[in-house]
Amino acid sequence: MTTVPDLGPPASQPLVRLRLAPHSTLPRRIDGAWWPHSRDLLSELPLLIGALPRAWGQIDGVTVNTAMWSTSPGRMLVANHVVRLNRSSVTHSRHTIRLLGPGRGRWDLLVVPPEIDAVDAEPLMAAASAPVATA
């Protein structure tokens, strides 16, 4: 297991690029978008988890696509809490991350590849976090 220290956000640490869809009673396939700064899950995941709404509770499981991320252990300690890391090779989930909160639910986020520039990333993030259209 890898331990990631909870040092708080230093001034040099990048901001989390995250957009979440507004809460709705209508079901969604994607709950928002995350644009990490790198493909290093050990450095990016603690930032993401720290930026999630408190209403989501503690995240104890994360599923990512093997092709999208550099190697990582099967679990890591984030802010004194063990997070299980599951890797998948399913093609349809390449650009998503699944977050699981015990007793709270599951959230799927679109992962915008870190190497994409802002001009291309912005519309993807906006579309993934847009409210569900009702007829």
Side-chain angles (χ1 to χ4, degrees), residues 41-120:
L41 197 58
L42 292 177
S43 65
E44 297 289 344
L45 190 59
L47 297 172
L48 171 63
I49 290 175
L52 296 174
R54 288 188 178 268
W56 288 20
Q58 283 189 319
I59 301 299
D60 73 349
V62 174
T63 302
V64 297
N65 188 278
T66 303
M68 181 79 173
W69 300 97
S70 59
T71 58
S72 58
R75 58 189 175 159
M76 62 192 282
L77 193 63
V78 178
N80 295 320
H81 182 74
V82 175
V83 176
R84 289 184 328 272
L85 300 175
N86 301 302
R87 298 177 73 83
S88 170
S89 59
V90 178
T91 306
H92 72 272
S93 68
R94 178 168 184 181
H95 293 287
T96 60
I97 184 169
R98 176 170 295 154
L99 306 167
L100 300 171
R104 298 289 180 126
R106 165 186 145 181
W107 298 272
D108 294 327
L109 300 176
L110 171 72
V111 178
V112 177
E115 58 276 0
I116 289 184
D117 61 36
V119 171
D120 294 327

